[in-house]
Amino acid sequence: MELHLVINGRKDLAAQLYQQLREAITGGRLSAGAQLPPSRLLAEQLEVSRKTVSDTYATLTYEGLLVGRIGRGTFVNAWAPRPDRVQTATDLACAASLGKWAALPSPMHHPARDEILRYEFIGGATTRNQFPQEEWRRCTLDALRRIARNSGFYSQPEGLPALREAIAGHIAFSRGVKGRAADIVVTNGAQQALDLIARVVLEPGSIVAMEDPGYSPARQLFVAMGARVASVPVDAQGIQVDQIPDGTRLIYVTPSHQFPLGMPMSLARREALLDRAIALGAIIIEDDYDSEFRYEGRPTDSLQSMDTRGVVTYVGTFSKTLLPELRLGYAVLPPAIHGAVLKAKQLTDQHSSTLPQWALAKFISEGYLLKHIRRCHSIYAGRRERILQRLAGDLSPWFEAVPTVAGFHLAALCKVPVDIPLLMELARKAQVGLYPLDVFFHDTAPRTGLILGFGAIETLDIDPALDKVRDILRQIG
């Protein structure tokens, strides 16, 4: 690969070369340790004499910007000086906007790979041990063969037809969702689906009604778009519909497994929510993020399956059933916003990567996904039961579980005052990752406790981890 340098005319060749190389080094375009081309090759590239290049290299070496290594070549010195000052956020005209983004919290931020602890109770994550590596490898190889036969054009913004057909069949079977492949748009995870819907529905100042406590990444997304988020309390039946304010344009709910508390929305509350949305002219986002894992009671219909007026957008993800790193999600769109969302998707990223789309389409159509969900269901059921036993046993002086029948996290509320930040700090020193519940409360009175994810922790690790938690609780009183 050629080094990008431009020589204009035939005057001051050495000065031009010197200035451009010096600016590339001090500006950081040539990083410390980068190797420069041999003088003969660079001279041929720039159509100058080799002596011009050699003399320039020698001058920069004398100044400490370059270093020659016998038998290896010329390199940028690791100690080369950098500019004294670059523009900071406060120097820019957009400083206020940058400040608003910087102020947004990130309560669901997952740790970096080198920060993951031995025992992790983080929510929304799965263990790699359950991922069907061999089946996914076969599907990925098939996807590579399909891409090799393609024309090389961009794909459709709504996603590959094969994947949308597979998704439509899967969610109709597993969740009773009504929708054709033509109603589905494939997204980069559920978060992009939320972003696209919000882009076309909201304007600065629009009102979004959300459960409180609720899913903070969705709240921060709506706030970042300039919306006013109205916090609506929840009770044992779900969102309190009568407190959704007039003028609301968008309603975000998690009816099958309320995030983070876990209870399902009652049938009466679902019917009331649909009626309220129709009266307001609002769109409902139904985030059905992990309800494929159900452990007790009868399955509940999706809210979308009850919608007869086209006001519910059903959002799902494969991050919870497969791997978060795949970043594949989808939205089943009502007719009123379908075209606008597709245009927003095209403007945002043209389309999601087709390689994982082809692989996932085959993975679903071959029955691997349902097989994987059934296998994980048994594993998660065992983990859930063990955590519930411990919360009802030796951890019961401090915590009680919120009743929940689905998903792979549960909430544990404090029965007595517990210094949760101190508990988390001491647990982290013992290689146990604990996460607070109160960060998901915004305008309603927060409840102290923990959100205990059991997707990322191995079954045999639960007892040793909770033993450490119990001992810490005894220590701090």
Side-chain angles (χ1 to χ4, degrees):
M1 182 168 58
E2 293 183 344
L3 174 61
H4 182 74
L5 297 171
V6 179
I7 300 297
N8 294 314
R10 306 303 301 172
K11 294 183 179 180
D12 299 324
L13 300 181
Q16 289 188 58
L17 181 57
Y18 167 82
Q19 190 63 34
Q20 289 195 52
L21 282 174
R22 194 178 196 287
E23 289 177 356
I25 295 169
T26 58
R29 184 162 64 87
L30 287 176
S31 59
Q35 184 174 9
L36 270 65
S39 57
R40 183 185 301 277
L41 289 179
L42 186 58
E44 292 176 357
Q45 173 193 336
L46 300 177
E47 297 180 353
V48 299
S49 70
R50 184 181 179 186
K51 184 177 184 303
T52 298
V53 177
S54 298
D55 289 348
T56 303
Y57 280 7
T59 302
L60 293 170
T61 300
Y62 177 77
E63 293 178 354
L65 298 176
L66 298 180
V67 59
R69 298 173 185 170
I70 297 174
R72 295 184 58 191
T74 303
F75 298 81
V76 176
N77 195 337
W79 303 105
R82 293 293 182 262
D84 294 333
R85 186 180 186 279
V86 296
Q87 292 285 79
T88 65
T90 55
D91 298 321
L92 302 177
C94 59
S97 178
L98 296 175
K100 291 178 182 178
W101 282 94
L104 292 175
S106 302
M108 294 286 289
H109 183 70
H110 280 211
R113 188 168 299 277
D114 58 352
E115 298 173 347
I116 296 174
L117 303 178
R118 173 70 176 83
Y119 309 104
E120 275 288 354
F121 286 102
I122 193 166
T126 59
T127 51
R128 194 172 294 275
N129 292 345
Q130 269 69 61
F131 186 71
Q133 296 281 1
E134 187 54 41
E135 292 91 339
W136 185 257
R137 185 178 295 110
R138 288 199 294 269
C139 293
T140 301
L141 290 174
D142 179 76
L144 286 169
R145 288 190 290 269
R146 289 178 179 274
I147 288 177
R149 296 195 298 266
N150 282 353
S151 60
F153 293 107
Y154 286 108
S155 187
Q156 305 94 329
E158 61 267 33
L160 296 176
L163 178 56
R164 290 184 286 120
E165 288 283 356
I167 291 172
H170 172 72
I171 58 180
F173 176 84
S174 63
R175 296 294 298 124
V177 173
K178 301 179 301 182
R180 306 161 300 150
D183 301 323
I184 294 172
V185 59
V186 177
T187 59
N188 298 318
Q191 192 71 13
Q192 189 190 37
L194 303 182
D195 179 273
L196 295 173
I197 297 162
R199 282 174 185 269
V200 303
V201 172
L202 301 178
E203 295 175 341
S206 298
I207 299 175
V208 179
M210 277 194 67
E211 302 160 321
D212 192 0
Y215 184 55
S216 297
R219 172 181 285 269
Q220 304 308 333
L221 171 66
F222 301 143
V223 169
M225 290 189 173
R228 291 186 292 141
V229 178
S231 298
V232 183
V234 299
D235 57 23
Q237 295 189 63
I239 190 170
Q240 297 181 21
V241 175
D242 58 345
Q243 296 198 40
I244 295 175
D246 292 340
T248 295
R249 282 196 184 188
L250 187 65
I251 304 169
Y252 173 87
V253 288
T254 52
S256 297
H257 184 219
Q258 199 279 333
F259 187 89
L261 298 179
M263 63 281 190
M265 189 183 297
S266 69
L267 178 61
R269 199 63 63 82
R270 291 170 186 242
E271 291 173 343
L273 177 60
L274 289 169
D275 290 341
R276 180 64 171 151
I278 292 168
L280 290 168
I283 287 291
I284 299 172
I285 296 178
E286 177 184 11
D287 191 346
D288 201 15
Y289 60 99
D290 66 357
S291 64
E292 288 171 310
F293 301 107
R294 175 165 294 278
Y295 312 107
E296 298 176 15
R298 296 178 179 177
T300 57
D301 284 336
S302 64
L303 183 66
Q304 190 266 2
S305 68
M306 301 171 59
D307 177 23
T308 60
R309 298 286 295 274
V311 297
V312 177
T313 296
Y314 180 91
V315 172
T317 179
F318 295 99
S319 296
K320 307 297 188 291
T321 50
L322 292 173
L323 279 180
E325 294 148 304
L326 290 178
R327 302 309 302 139
L328 282 174
Y330 58 91
V332 184
L333 302 168
I337 66 170
H338 185 274
V341 170
L342 285 189
K343 287 186 178 180
K345 171 67 175 173
Q346 187 171 20
L347 290 173
T348 300
D349 65 357
Q350 189 72 35
H351 61 77
S352 299
S353 174
T354 56
L355 177 62
Q357 286 192 62
W358 279 119
L360 182 58
K362 185 174 180 63
F363 191 83
I364 297 173
S365 62
E366 293 290 329
Y368 295 139
L369 179 60
L370 282 177
K371 180 181 176 182
H372 174 64
I373 290 172
R374 293 189 186 107
R375 182 171 60 246
C376 287
H377 183 280
S378 176
I379 294 169
Y380 292 155
R383 295 177 184 175
R384 171 182 175 270
E385 183 60 28
R386 189 60 196 139
I387 294 174
L388 288 173
Q389 288 173 359
R390 294 295 299 269
L391 289 173
D394 57 346
L395 293 174
S396 62
W398 299 278
F399 294 105
E400 62 179 344
V402 177
T404 180
V405 297
F408 54 100
H409 81 262
L410 56 85
L413 297 175
C414 292
K415 296 166 66 174
V416 297
V418 175
D419 189 339
I420 294 295
L422 178 59
L423 172 62
M424 291 168 51
E425 179 185 350
L426 295 176
R428 186 169 186 81
K429 293 178 180 178
Q431 285 294 301
V432 180
L434 296 179
Y435 299 89
L437 183 65
D438 60 1
V439 296
F440 301 108
F441 290 79
H442 298 277
D443 296 318
T444 60
R447 299 287 303 274
T448 56
L450 298 172
I451 180 168
L452 296 171
F454 46 88
I457 188 167
E458 296 295 338
T459 305
L460 294 178
D461 287 340
I462 290 175
D463 279 326
L466 293 182
D467 287 345
K468 294 175 182 290
V469 174
R470 177 202 58 208
D471 294 343
I472 295 170
L473 286 165
R474 289 173 176 170
Q475 172 190 340
I476 66 177

